[in-house]
Amino acid sequence: MFERLAPNYDRLNTALTFGLVGGWRRALVAAAAIGPGARVVDVCAGTGQTLREAAAAVGPRGLAVGVDFTSAMLARARGHRVLGDALQLPFADRAFDAAVSAFALRDVADQGRMIEEMVRVTRSRGRVAVLEIGRPRRQPFRLGFDAWFRGAVPRLAAIAGQGESHRFLVRSLAYLPAPESLLGTMTGAGLDEIGWRELSLGAARLFWGRRP
């Protein structure tokens, strides 16, 4: 499915989020406390939009590496890219200063294992940060989100020939853990100083933690 999505993935994401997704990705990189000279891995990097933000943050003296197992998506990314599995990252322990991931938790077979792998490849006192689609908890924002995301988005995507893929995206919300559950998973994976916040009135959620 993601192989088929690759050619239109970025255009559709920008249009269907009213252009907000770029700001969400920048917030993800900021939450990971990535600075010049750092080494960061972007897990499930897709077409490399978050990877681009991470590369800008670390600068020429740093290293930003994107990992994905969909070759057509990764081929559209720029910079350092590795074809690999989020549940078995092809890196040594503590290889990076930070690990980030955007919009991937709903699409992996084992969410806990993915977080554990991100923690494993992050050095002591490094940060792990995750960005996901949200569902506003407060009315009327939830009603508006549901009307757009569950109703309008698949129809608009169908115009671009991606209707079935975005119907899957809507169904995948059922696999999105509640914030409290994800915080528990992050704690269980060995992170401390964990936290989360809503972005754009709850349309997206940002989570972070530090490896002791």
Side-chain angles (χ1 to χ4, degrees):
M1 184 192 73
F2 283 102
E3 295 280 343
R4 296 192 303 271
L5 268 175
N8 296 311
Y9 186 80
D10 293 327
R11 287 193 297 271
L12 279 172
N13 272 357
T14 299
L16 298 176
T17 63
F18 301 101
L20 294 171
V21 66
W24 297 346
R25 294 184 191 278
R26 288 189 289 275
L28 170 64
V29 171
I34 299 168
R39 298 169 58 89
V40 58
V41 59
D42 178 14
V43 179
C44 299
T47 59
Q49 297 303 303
T50 300
L51 180 62
R52 181 179 63 182
E53 299 292 343
V58 303
R61 293 186 294 106
L63 175 66
V65 180
V67 180
D68 203 285
F69 70 176
T70 305
S71 57
M73 298 282 279
L74 202 60
R76 286 165 168 77
R78 294 184 178 181
H80 298 281
R81 296 157 294 168
V82 175
L83 199 64
D85 188 347
L87 305 187
Q88 192 173 357
L89 292 173
F91 305 111
D93 295 357
R94 305 174 188 264
F96 297 95
D97 299 303
V100 299
S101 184
F103 310 120
L105 277 177
R106 291 165 292 120
D107 300 320
V108 298
D110 189 334
Q111 295 172 353
R113 175 66 180 271
M114 175 177 160
I115 298 295
E116 288 170 358
E117 278 293 278
M118 293 176 71
V119 173
R120 179 184 66 78
V121 301
T122 301
R123 66 166 174 79
S124 180
R125 304 196 66 79
R127 283 203 175 192
V128 171
V130 174
L131 173 66
E132 255 300 351
I133 288 290
R135 188 174 179 233
R137 293 185 163 191
R138 293 176 293 168
Q139 302 290 11
F141 305 124
R142 173 171 286 195
L143 288 175
F145 176 87
D146 287 347
W148 174 251
F149 196 77
R150 297 178 185 276
V153 164
R155 291 181 174 87
L156 291 173
I159 296 173
Q162 301 290 354
E164 178 55 36
S165 298
H166 281 73
R167 282 190 289 274
F168 167 80
L169 174 64
V170 171
R171 293 194 300 271
S172 73
L173 284 178
Y175 300 98
L176 186 64
E180 296 79 9
S181 176
L182 182 52
L183 293 177
T185 298
M186 294 173 74
T187 299
L191 294 172
D192 62 15
E193 296 182 13
I194 59 172
W196 78 285
R197 67 184 178 98
E198 293 184 330
L199 304 174
S200 302
L201 302 175
R205 293 170 179 168
L206 180 59
F207 301 83
W208 62 86
R210 182 185 67 94
R211 180 171 182 173

